[in-house]
Amino acid sequence: MRRNSYGTKALKFVLDMTKRYDAETHLLNLRDTKLPFFDPDGSTEEYNLLSDQIHKITEYVIWADVFVLVSPDYHGSMSGVMKNFLDHFWEEFAGKAFGYICTSHEKGLTVMDQMRTAIRQCYGWSLPYGVSINGELDFDTKGEIINDLLIKRLDMLSHDLITYGKLIREQFLKDKSGNVLNTFAARYRSS
Ligand SMILES: Cc1cc2nc3c(=O)[nH]c(=O)nc-3n(C[C@H](O)[C@H](O)[C@H](O)COP(=O)(O)O)c2cc1C
């Protein structure tokens, strides 16, 4: 939610890198694109007011084959807006790969574990590592990354997410449209 957020800068860096693998990207910044608090009934005034936003975001979520989830460390947890975003979706995450970035002074491992847990519950696939960013140490005053090791890890994240994400997505869609009964993709077939 912070203006000039280190997390958003890192995400832009990763999205730029994924273009080397011909990836099409979209950055969903939850500071600018507001989502109402998730309401299972969808009947609040806020829902009606923001229905166009919800619709637009849902289209992007369905469109995406892979995700990079980026959250600051807020009290050892993911930010409230990130949790609220995740609450809005479920099946849309199934069979897709996820990478994680956390801005924290303490590595943010619990934050990334929480995001990973939420994604596992939605049958998404997570990369086995995440990338931690310590903003004041990793960026200079112009907003450029000055930590070579971090650049290397963000580069690795962009490579792995596209490479593994493509394999997972292709196999999931194949299984979903096939007729093998005993695959987790079978439950997403329309009857
Ligand atoms: C409400 C709140 C809680 C925070 N809790 C923690 C924390 O538990 N551990 C930590 O290392 N940093 C904590 N921070 C600091 C942020 O995680 C840190 O400044 C981070 O770099 C912000 O990322 P951003 O630049 O992407 O907004 C907290 C900040 C806020 C506003």
Side-chain angles (χ1 to χ4, degrees), residues 2 4-8 72-76 103-106 135-136:
R2 207 170 62 80
N4 295 320
S5 142
Y6 292 119
T8 308
D73 183 336
Y74 283 173
H75 308 324
T103 44
S104 172
H105 302 121
E106 301 165 292
E136 289 82 6

Side-chain angles (χ1 to χ4, degrees), residues 36-81:
F37 279 126
F38 175 64
D39 167 21
D41 301 323
S43 59
T44 59
E45 202 181 317
E46 210 189 0
Y47 253 71
N48 290 329
L49 277 173
L50 294 172
S51 63
D52 284 353
Q53 296 275 66
I54 300 171
H55 188 69
K56 202 168 90 191
I57 292 175
T58 304
E59 280 189 344
Y60 275 124
V61 169
I62 291 170
W63 167 80
D65 293 322
V66 300
F67 291 79
V68 187
L69 298 185
V70 186
S71 174
D73 183 336
Y74 283 173
H75 308 324
S77 312
M78 72 179 99
S79 68
V81 285

Side-chain angles (χ1 to χ4, degrees), residues 156-171:
M156 179 170 80
L157 178 73
S158 66
H159 170 271
D160 288 349
L161 200 53
I162 300 302
T163 310
Y164 290 87
K166 199 162 183 267
L167 290 172
I168 288 167
R169 189 77 187 132
E170 281 173 1
Q171 188 61 48

